[in-house]
Amino acid sequence: MKYVLVTGGVVSGLGKGVTASSIGVVLKACGLRITSIKIDPYLNTDAGTMSPFEHGEVFVLDDGGEVDLDLGNYERFLEIKLTRDNNITTGKIYQSVINKEREGEYLGKTVQVVPHITNAIQDWIERVAMVPVDGQEGPADVCVIELGGTIGDIESMPFIEALGQFSYRVGAGNFCLVHVSLVPVLNVVGEQKTKPTQHSVRGLRGLGLTPNMLACRSTKELEENVKEKLSQFCHVPAANIFTLYDVSNIWHIPLLLRDQKAHNAILKVLNLESVAQEPKLDEWVARATLYDTLQDEVRIAMVGKYTGLSDSYLSVLKALLHASVSCRKKLVVDWVASTDLEDSTASEAPEAYNAAWSLLKGADGVLVPGGFGDRGVKGKMMAAKYARENNVPYLGICLGMQLAVVEFARHVMKFPDADSTEFNPNTKTPCVIFMPEGSKTHMGGTMRLGSRRTFFKVTDCKSAKLYGDVNFVDERHRHRYEVNPDMVPAFENAGLQFVGKDETGQRMEIIEIPDHPFFIGVQFHPEFKSTPSKPSPLFVGLIAAACGQLDQVLQDSCNGHVVVAKHKLGDSSSTPLIHQNGHAQKQANGGVANGTCHANGNGSTHG
């Protein structure tokens, strides 16, 4: 097994995750099999209990693992399926060591950070790296490891020490260290400054790790004299110093690495030159180029409560982007804070209220994503009501579906008290109720998590057609509350269809309003399995409906085609991009770019 370690210096948020994913893409294009591991130095055992404002979205894996959002980047870029063990945290490591100590495995020894914690980290990496994640048998060729945080962080120290030992453990030719650093340009001087990177590399070397190559983040390509200076002071060959400068979309990053021959440098360090081929990235070139040429806009109002941080809805944004590119439309996301749509805001902050409603009414489609807590719930229901009454394409995910059901009960079925017991435990009309998996007294670990099967109970519906007229789909879940099955007959008599259910028929998975142009709600999270080459069918449906292409997409999907982003350059047709590719239910996981969506409006977020 060969290992590529990606570390970061100077500041956080440089794009280590995208860099690690892009390295994997280029190496995969060279014919190698890739797996990935993300190390997060925080003490939480996983990301499941952290607020989206704290750490961005919680990404959910097939096995129910609640993990860091960078694993979503890996799955989208590499089209692999990772497990919860591919995300290592300080909490997991210490918990495993303490469990062993309690079981007497250390035979009375004093348990210390070195060697017990560091050995546990190395053992975990070696064990997980051998697990295939691409659907093939046997271990991958290369494991790309990303160390979260910044070099010098106190919480990272045990991992730095462990990885230093690990580089000796696996031996020369099996370990390559790529250090991502910042080369800023000071406006006053106008030149690229190398000192931050010099200090970062010096700190890294002082901790026992020597970088084989530098990936330098900068606004523009590194000048040759800057490369030479970095090479001299950081002891890295100039040929192994690459620029990851600002680009129009994230799909250019693997192409930047390829154009600068980063793969050759990595293959040389890992002694893989004889088994690798020249990288084939034609699809990435076509997709990145097409995205830059898109002109016709499609506007989607994203109505939530975490709108202040786009990473809170990263996978939703990526899925929207995949779908918009597949329909050859330029995505514009209008962030609408759900609280700003509520009547209380009209009196307290009328400007924010009017701005939010203006954005909602100006959108081609409305999306209400998942979330927890009662803040902004009324605003989300008002968005669903507006979309329902005005024939605006609507997609509700998880809570977005539940609130669409509550809104339907209140305003169509005339149950003013209708609510979710999550927000009103004493409601007389409980449309959404507590339906966990496991204990009813303990909250931890009782969510319905991971991949679950949904069976289509109504075949002549938009969602079934979008998935290719299959009998079932496997999608990922993360929730505790679901539609009350006792109220389903009343809903269906009033015109709300439950077209998808679980195998028991008790869990409602997909709703539709048949006489609406596009009104779909899903209990699962389709965004987690969307990829650039296989966009989520439901997101494609939303975008297609928003730009008048839905009939064509439904027809092509029913003919066994899946809308995907495989393009011929120079064709600016507005028709969807169709590719013969089997059934949509077999799609893997998705990924896209930072800075690809225009954030308009008041800059707040959704939830």
Side-chain angles (χ1 to χ4, degrees), residues 247-257 284-285 288-289 292:
V247 289
S248 55
N249 70 77
I250 212 168
W251 294 324
H252 283 290
I253 302 298
L255 307 180
L256 283 183
L257 292 173
W284 282 85
V285 172
T289 307
D292 290 339

Side-chain angles (χ1 to χ4, degrees), residues 277-289:
Q277 61 191 27
E278 278 299 306
K280 298 177 181 178
L281 290 168
D282 294 346
E283 186 178 330
W284 282 85
V285 172
R287 187 185 302 117
T289 307

Side-chain angles (χ1 to χ4, degrees), residues 428-460:
K428 296 177 182 178
T429 313
C431 301
V432 179
I433 61 174
F434 188 55
M435 291 180 66
E437 291 191 337
S439 170
K440 290 191 176 182
T441 58
H442 293 79
M443 298 294 282
T446 63
M447 270 200 285
R448 186 167 166 84
L449 281 167
S451 182
R452 298 291 190 276
R453 184 155 290 181
T454 295
F455 292 88
F456 287 105
K457 303 299 182 180
V458 179
T459 55
D460 186 23

Side-chain angles (χ1 to χ4, degrees), residues 27-283:
L27 294 179
K28 182 179 179 181
C30 291
L32 300 171
R33 293 175 59 201
I34 308 298
T35 185
S36 294
I37 293 175
K38 171 67 189 296
I39 296 174
D40 284 302
Y42 48 71
L43 277 168
N44 307 61
T45 53
D46 60 40
T49 58
M50 287 190 282
S51 163
F53 280 132
E54 184 80 18
H55 203 67
E57 76 169 7
V58 177
F59 189 80
V60 179
L61 303 171
D62 269 1
D63 66 358
E66 297 173 284
V67 297
D68 183 82
L69 57 81
D70 278 316
L71 275 78
N73 282 327
Y74 305 157
E75 287 203 343
R76 287 186 285 264
F77 271 54
L78 298 170
E79 297 193 334
I80 56 180
K81 290 188 177 181
L82 301 172
T83 71
R84 67 180 74 232
D85 285 349
N86 289 85
N87 193 189
I88 303 175
T89 68
T90 299
K92 286 182 180 179
I93 294 295
Y94 273 78
Q95 190 173 60
S96 68
V97 170
I98 289 171
N99 288 343
K100 287 181 179 179
E101 186 273 331
R102 291 290 84 187
E103 294 165 3
E105 287 197 26
Y106 296 116
L107 302 177
K109 293 181 179 177
T110 302
V111 181
Q112 298 174 292
V113 173
V114 180
H116 300 99
I117 295 296
T118 53
N119 283 348
I121 294 168
Q122 296 175 69
D123 294 342
W124 192 302
I125 291 172
E126 281 196 325
R127 173 176 59 84
V128 174
M130 299 300 289
V131 178
V133 294
D134 56 2
Q136 302 181 44
E137 294 189 4
D141 301 308
V142 180
C143 177
V144 180
I145 306 167
E146 178 193 347
L147 176 62
T150 306
I151 294 301
D153 293 347
I154 190 168
E155 60 264 30
S156 299
M157 292 305 176
F159 292 101
I160 294 287
E161 176 63 27
L163 291 164
Q165 294 177 17
F166 191 67
S167 65
Y168 289 101
R169 179 169 172 171
V170 299
N174 295 314
F175 187 89
C176 176
L177 173 52
V178 180
H179 188 59
V180 183
S181 187
L182 178 68
V183 178
V185 176
L186 300 183
N187 291 333
V188 178
V189 183
E191 64 174 328
Q192 295 173 328
K193 309 301 289 185
T194 64
K195 193 61 70 176
T197 298
Q198 292 181 41
H199 282 301
S200 180
V201 171
R202 186 175 300 132
L204 186 63
R205 292 167 64 89
L207 294 170
L209 284 171
T210 301
N212 298 100
M213 49 202 67
L214 299 178
C216 298
R217 287 284 289 112
S218 186
T219 54
K220 59 182 181 180
E221 194 170 356
L222 284 189
E223 299 167 5
E224 283 305 315
N225 66 309
V226 174
K227 275 191 178 184
E228 292 171 3
K229 189 173 182 180
L230 283 171
S231 175
Q232 181 180 6
F233 284 93
C234 299
H235 303 172
V236 176
N240 289 7
I241 299 176
F242 315 109
T243 319
L244 300 180
Y245 52 87
D246 294 347
V247 289
S248 55
N249 70 77
I250 212 168
W251 294 324
H252 283 290
I253 302 298
L255 307 180
L256 283 183
L257 292 173
R258 179 204 61 180
D259 293 344
Q260 296 175 73
K261 304 296 182 183
H263 56 286
N264 287 342
I266 295 172
L267 294 172
K268 184 176 181 180
V269 172
L270 298 178
N271 293 331
L272 289 172
E273 293 173 291
S274 60
V275 298
Q277 61 191 27
E278 278 299 306
K280 298 177 181 178
L281 290 168
D282 294 346
E283 186 178 330

Side-chain angles (χ1 to χ4, degrees), residues 526-544:
E527 69 270 22
F528 289 144
K529 294 182 73 173
S530 181
T531 71
S533 62
K534 298 175 184 175
S536 167
L538 295 175
F539 280 84
V540 171
L542 174 65
I543 296 295

